[in-house]
Amino acid sequence: MRLTQRIYLVGGGELGFGMSSDPDCHIYAVETGTGLALVDAGTGLNIESILANLRFDGLDPERLRWLFLTHAHADHAGGAAAFRERFDVEVIASTEAAAYLRAGDEEKISLPVAKRGGVYPASYSFRACEVAHELCDGETYRAGEAEFRAYTTPGHCSGMLSFLIEDAGRKCLFSGDTVFHGGKILISNIWDCSLTEYAASLRKLAALNVDALLPGHLAIALSGGSRHIRRANDSMERFALPPNIL
């Protein structure tokens, strides 16, 4: 599903458009001119549906070269190992997320908690994956003609990155699970969810003045993206909580 000149939506589960496995986050593809970059990888339960969506949009999966991960939760990073093995993609993540990925650390990504909550099948396991590049706050990574600027945005969990790119003069933000359409957020009962960090992350993103808000789940805003971010930030600034997506 083409969203902008460069960006396509090629996956997503029941908290989205039903394009791939039910637990999957939104999975985006970016045409960089010299290859394709994915933003997030889904669970890995069925990457064939994601590849079929790429082909439907006229994108050749053999051109996949990069995988940018917003964080290490299984619905976003569980498919990283499969994409790396099959297409030799370079995996890019934060330092914290990279450590969890390399170790296949199911406790650090709160997978047992999510399984008990019925998010994933009981038989699901998280596969370890090597990470080629670690990004810190404000760092950029050039993938072909596209430059991804990373912002550390913890709160929902540790190691969260949001990625900003420019597409035909428009600022497009991949916000992962930090902020969603309608000014919603995602607070969960997991070890690394922090309201204090969440507030700081929303304040940071509210200052970016983005056009498109491309979150990890639910609706997408192709214009007026900052309106949704500011709504969440304004709630936090008033000592209130924005609505939670769950």
Side-chain angles (χ1 to χ4, degrees), residues 69-244:
L69 295 175
T70 59
H71 60 300
H73 284 170
D75 55 332
H76 292 255
F83 280 106
R84 185 173 182 274
E85 288 173 1
R86 185 158 172 179
F87 300 102
D88 196 28
V89 296
E90 295 183 31
V91 180
I92 299 110
S94 70
T95 298
E96 295 95 332
Y100 307 156
L101 281 154
R102 291 179 179 127
D105 195 328
E106 296 189 351
E107 291 291 336
K108 287 293 187 183
I109 66 166
S110 300
L111 184 59
V113 175
K115 281 185 177 181
R116 289 196 295 272
V119 177
Y120 306 102
S123 60
Y124 180 80
S125 61
F126 185 82
R127 295 178 58 201
C129 179
E130 184 52 52
V131 176
H133 301 281
E134 299 174 19
L135 294 180
C136 298
D137 189 47
E139 288 189 329
T140 61
Y141 186 96
R142 179 164 288 279
E145 299 168 359
E147 184 175 85
F148 290 73
R149 183 174 294 275
Y151 292 91
T152 55
T153 53
H156 167 66
C157 69
S158 63
M160 174 78 74
L161 293 178
S162 296
F163 297 106
L164 183 70
I165 71 169
E166 287 205 12
D167 184 1
R170 300 170 68 244
K171 293 182 179 180
C172 303
L173 182 72
F174 301 100
S175 62
D177 284 355
T178 299
V179 62
F180 301 88
H181 192 280
K184 297 179 180 180
I185 63 173
L186 181 47
I187 300 170
S188 305
N189 184 22
I190 55 177
W191 72 273
D192 53 348
C193 185
S194 165
L195 284 177
T196 302
E197 291 184 327
Y198 222 136
S201 295
L202 290 172
R203 193 176 304 120
K204 179 188 295 186
L205 294 183
L208 296 181
N209 195 30
V210 304
D211 298 295
L213 176 63
L214 307 172
H217 304 279
L218 304 179
I220 291 166
L222 297 180
S223 62
S226 277
R227 181 169 61 240
H228 304 277
I229 301 170
R230 289 174 186 144
R231 186 178 300 175
N233 183 58
D234 288 349
S235 291
M236 285 288 201
E237 295 293 337
R238 295 193 305 269
F239 307 107
L241 288 180
N244 200 29

Side-chain angles (χ1 to χ4, degrees), residues 1-3 8-22 24-28 46-54 56-57 220:
M1 182 189 303
R2 191 170 190 173
L3 303 177
Y8 298 76
L9 182 67
V10 297
E14 61 182 349
L15 288 179
F17 301 96
M19 299 176 71
S20 56
S21 297
D22 278 351
D24 283 353
C25 68
H26 287 339
I27 300 151
Y28 300 95
N46 180 15
I47 73 165
E48 293 302 325
S49 58
I50 299 165
L51 301 181
N53 292 332
L54 284 164
F56 184 81
D57 283 326
I220 291 166

